[in-house]
Structures are given as structure tokens and as C-alpha cells.
Amino acid sequence: MATRDRHSLYTWVAQDEHAPIRLAGGEGAWFRDTDGRRYLDFASVAVSANAGHNHPTILAAIRRQLDELCVAGPAMWTRVRERVGEALARVTPPGLDRFLFTLGGGDAVEHAVKIARMVTGRQGVVCRTNSYHGATLGALSFSDDPRGDPFVPGLPGVIRVKDPWCFHCPWSTTPDVCDRPCVDHVEEVIERAGPATIAAVLMETIPGTQAGYIPPPDYYRRIRALCDRHGILLILDEVLTGFGRTGRWFGIEHFDARPDLMALGKGITSGHAPLGAVAVSGAVAAYFDSNVLWTGTTHSAHPISLAAALGNIQAMEEEGLVERSRRLGERMASRLALMKERTGVVADARCLGLYGSLELAAPLDPVRVRQDALARGVNILARGRCIYAAPPLVIAEEDLDRGLDWIEEVLLGSSTHSPASTTHRNPR
């Protein structure tokens, strides 16, 4: 049996096969274990520590809140709740300035769907394949990921559409002359189901651990127009891509479109406390001026988590971390493109801000890749045929180069490839 806390259950693993990192502390883009060994965190923990580990501004905000107020009910006004709302309204896309605070990203997605169903009076939810929206039963039902397989069929009313994934285009179009059959397909599916039955279209702006592909530049503008034609609400899952990860505050800013609801999590506190939120447009929020908002949890809008969010936004603004992500992302994109040219094993290289993915031509063994990385002092995320690069936005340039050097070393070797590793569904 692997060494671990014998009273804990660890998620997404068989317990006897899991040897967890014995985490002791961290600063910036590095963390250390109980033996004092340091690791470069090229995965930002779970693509969540955007401002790095133990950021002093976030810690100071949490300490101040502990001295002021650390317990509150979900229906209570608190000073920190109001301040976080003001801070979020300053950075979210225009018009998305009302917020339902949740426990994390997965339940933010679930709350967003519940809101859409209440506002429209409809039940259908259109979701994409190759998607992951979180670990609750509802979020897994909206996802198309092996992690949801034990709970099939899940919630009713979910309708799947194909991905706008140009590298694996199911319509085999040429990108420079493409007339976007991916959008026409969504409308065809909605027409078959009956537009009057569809409450929402739910999509990850940029898919996270489902290969990290980047949709065409006009895709969301066309989806927005489609939703408007049929009175359908557009929900974007920005849990992973929010708070500077893509070189903008939110991934949708790259696409010149605006959702009706946006699910937030992970980077909202840079992982320093559990928190999620649903950003809601004024038109959607107005429905609940005279109708009951039938949703919520005991620890929604918890003061300590809100304080972490407030400190996180302050740190990101004061240190220019969104712009830093854009600038370092250009550096990382160039390196990933070079790896595709030089290694001969990369099928596609993708990068937006400090979120990059390398899709390999053959499957890899993600467990072995992560173990090899940790042995070298680097923490990475690998899944299916993809190796991901998602360091904290505070990472030093020399550390960014160091992590990318390691990835290239792996690609130039052969130990990462394992034809038997085919459980991941991507690529389609």
C-alpha cells in the first residue's frame, strides 16, 4: 500500500495505487514536500493557483477577514461580499455584474443551469462532446468525459453537439475557407430537439483537460446569434480559463462575444480558499427581482473565501498578472511550436496565454509522465495524448524556460509513449 494518510480517501484514484505528494508549503511558482524538496509547479496545482502558492496579498486579506468576521449565512449581507461583487464587476465582461457565490466551479456550472431552467421555463441543455464541467452529478451529466461513466445516464435533458475542433474537424473542412459547419450543426440539433425545449447552451470557452483546443475566432459570435434567435441562454464555463489564464481576464474576451451566464472557480481565489461564482447578466438577474431564486448552499458567500477572492483580484491588478500571462504566453507559444517542429512526435501545439497543450501523435502513459516529471522536480498535468503547460502567472521567465526544457526532453525520448494507454476519449 502506498504511503498516505490512512484516514483519507483520495479522489480519482484507486487508493492502493496512490502515493500523494506530501505537501508542506510553497511560494510563487514552487512548492515543497515534507522532505524539503522543491518542485516547479507547471500545473498551477489543478490549473487553479494563478497567482502562485501562498501569495502574500491573498494571505493578508484572509488574515484581516479572520479578525473581522469568519462566519455568515448565505442570505446575509457582509462587507466583504459587497466588496468582492464590486471587484468582480470591474473585471468581468460588460453587463455581467451580478454574482451568485458558490462553493466551487462544478457547482457554479450546476447553479447556472438551474438559473437558466428557472428563467426560461425549459429543461434542455445543449453541451459539447469532449467536455468536462466538474465532479457533481449535475456537472458530470453535462460533461462528456470518462470520469462520468460510472454515473451514466445522469440527469435528463442533456443534448450533445460536436466540437469546433479544427485539428480534428468532423466535417473535414479547410480552415481558411471554412463556413463553420460546427455552428450550423448546433442549430440543426436545436431545431430537431425543438428550440422551445432548450433552456441553455453550455460550453467551456476553451476546453480544459479535454485537449485544450481553441475554437475558431468567430465561433462564439455565431453561437451568440443562434441563441438570440431562439431565446436560449448562453452559459460559458470559465472555471479553468478565467482570471488571467489565457492572457485576458476571461477566455471569452478573445472571441468578441458575451454570455448570459458565466461559471467561475479555480483562479477566483488562486486556490487559496474554495469558492465559485455565477456571473449573471442584468436581464437574467432581473427575473429574480420578483421570483424566488430556488438554489443555494449553506456556505455560499463564505467570508473567508470571499476575502481570498478580494486579495486575489487585488494582487492580479497591482502586479499586472493578466498582461504578464499574455506576454509570457507568447514566449511559451513559440517554444511549443518549436517542439512540434523539432521532436517529430507532436501532432499539434496549442497555446493561449499561459495555457498550452501538446497533442502527441501516439498515446502516452500520463501516470508515468507525471512521475518522471516529479523525479526531475517538476509538477505537470498529462492526460490522454496531451501534455499541458499551465504554470502560475507569477512564474519567472527562467523558470518558464526550465519547465519547457523538461517537456522537450521528454518528447525527444521515447519513455512517455504507451500504446496500451487508450482510455481517454480524445482525439475523436
Side-chain angles (χ1 to χ4, degrees):
M1 180 178 291
T3 302
R4 60 175 184 266
D5 173 4
R6 60 192 178 91
H7 299 293
S8 293
L9 287 172
Y10 292 85
T11 59
W12 308 119
V13 294
Q15 303 304 295
D16 286 346
E17 298 173 1
H18 184 51
I21 296 171
R22 300 179 68 82
L23 189 64
E27 299 82 26
W30 294 81
F31 63 84
R32 62 184 182 278
D33 64 19
T34 53
D35 294 324
R37 187 178 184 194
R38 297 175 74 230
Y39 300 84
L40 178 61
D41 191 358
F42 228 63
S44 297
V45 185
V47 198
S48 53
N50 291 11
H53 294 256
N54 288 6
H55 194 288
T57 301
I58 303 175
L59 296 182
I62 292 172
R63 292 187 185 106
R64 286 193 299 271
Q65 190 61 43
L66 285 169
D67 289 337
E68 179 181 329
L69 175 73
C70 60
V71 177
M76 295 177 176
W77 176 94
T78 62
R79 183 179 290 106
V80 68
R81 185 174 188 158
E82 182 171 310
R83 292 181 67 196
V84 172
E86 292 170 350
L88 282 173
R90 194 166 61 240
V91 301
T92 48
L96 292 172
D97 57 2
R98 297 286 294 276
F99 306 97
L100 172 67
F101 294 106
T102 69
L103 304 180
D107 71 310
V109 168
E110 203 160 324
H111 285 298
V113 171
K114 291 166 74 175
I115 288 172
R117 286 177 166 176
M118 283 185 277
V119 170
T120 64
R122 307 170 180 177
Q123 292 296 308
V125 182
V126 173
C127 309
R128 285 200 302 242
T129 55
N130 296 301
S131 59
Y132 180 72
H133 293 288
T136 65
L137 181 59
L140 285 172
S141 299
F142 308 133
S143 306
D144 183 33
D145 183 281
R147 286 168 282 189
D149 288 351
F151 312 106
V152 171
L155 300 184
V158 178
I159 302 166
R160 303 270 177 223
V161 294
K162 297 177 183 178
D163 297 77
W165 188 354
C166 297
F167 187 70
H168 292 288
C169 179
W171 297 274
S172 301
T173 58
T174 304
D176 56 352
V177 296
C178 177
D179 59 357
R180 301 293 181 256
C182 51
V183 177
D184 294 339
H185 163 68
V186 175
E187 185 150 31
E188 289 166 4
V189 170
I190 288 174
E191 290 285 0
R192 285 200 303 270
T197 69
I198 307 299
V201 170
L202 165 65
M203 297 176 171
E204 293 174 281
T205 308
I206 299 166
T209 54
Q210 292 280 19
Y213 69 83
I214 301 169
D218 60 344
Y219 178 78
Y220 288 110
R221 290 198 302 273
R222 296 188 180 208
I223 293 294
R224 171 75 275 171
L226 186 164
C227 289
D228 290 342
R229 284 196 298 274
H230 296 296
I232 296 169
L233 297 179
L234 176 58
I235 304 172
L236 291 183
D237 179 344
E238 289 265 2
V239 172
L240 186 146
T241 51
F243 298 93
R245 175 54 58 189
T246 69
R248 300 283 184 91
W249 274 99
F250 299 95
I252 192 58
E253 294 175 48
H254 293 280
F255 299 93
D256 190 28
R258 191 173 67 200
D260 299 292
L261 302 102
M262 196 164 65
L264 311 176
K266 290 185 182 287
I268 193 171
T269 66
S270 283
H272 286 58
L275 185 69
V278 184
V280 180
S281 71
V284 172
Y287 174 84
F288 298 104
D289 290 343
S290 56
N291 292 278
V292 175
L293 177 56
W294 293 107
T295 194
T297 56
T298 300
H299 298 297
S300 297
H302 194 279
I304 303 303
S305 295
L306 290 173
L310 194 62
N312 180 62
I313 295 171
Q314 178 186 346
M316 296 190 73
E317 290 180 322
E318 291 178 349
E319 298 177 24
L321 295 185
V322 177
E323 171 59 22
R324 181 178 177 81
S325 175
R326 184 200 64 77
R327 180 172 57 82
L328 292 183
E330 292 176 354
R331 184 187 187 103
M332 187 166 79
S334 296
R335 281 292 308 277
L336 295 178
L338 278 174
M339 290 181 204
K340 178 182 177 182
E341 293 179 12
R342 295 195 296 217
T343 63
V345 298
V346 176
D348 195 29
R350 304 176 279 264
C351 189
L352 199 57
L354 284 175
Y355 193 65
S357 64
L358 292 170
E359 181 182 329
L360 305 191
L364 55 78
D365 181 347
V367 174
R368 183 170 182 178
V369 168
R370 290 192 294 268
Q371 290 174 342
D372 288 349
L374 289 173
R376 295 169 183 261
V378 183
N379 180 47
I380 70 162
L381 174 63
R383 192 163 184 263
R385 292 189 179 189
C386 290
I387 294 176
Y388 298 88
L393 314 188
V394 298
I395 191 170
E397 289 187 8
E398 58 268 27
D399 288 335
L400 178 65
D401 292 340
R402 182 183 309 191
L404 293 169
D405 288 343
W406 179 85
I407 290 176
E408 188 160 2
E409 287 180 20
V410 171
L411 295 176
L412 289 170
S414 60
S415 63
T416 60
H417 298 280
S418 174
S421 180
T422 58
T423 56
H424 195 274
R425 297 176 181 174
N426 291 324
R428 295 272 174 180

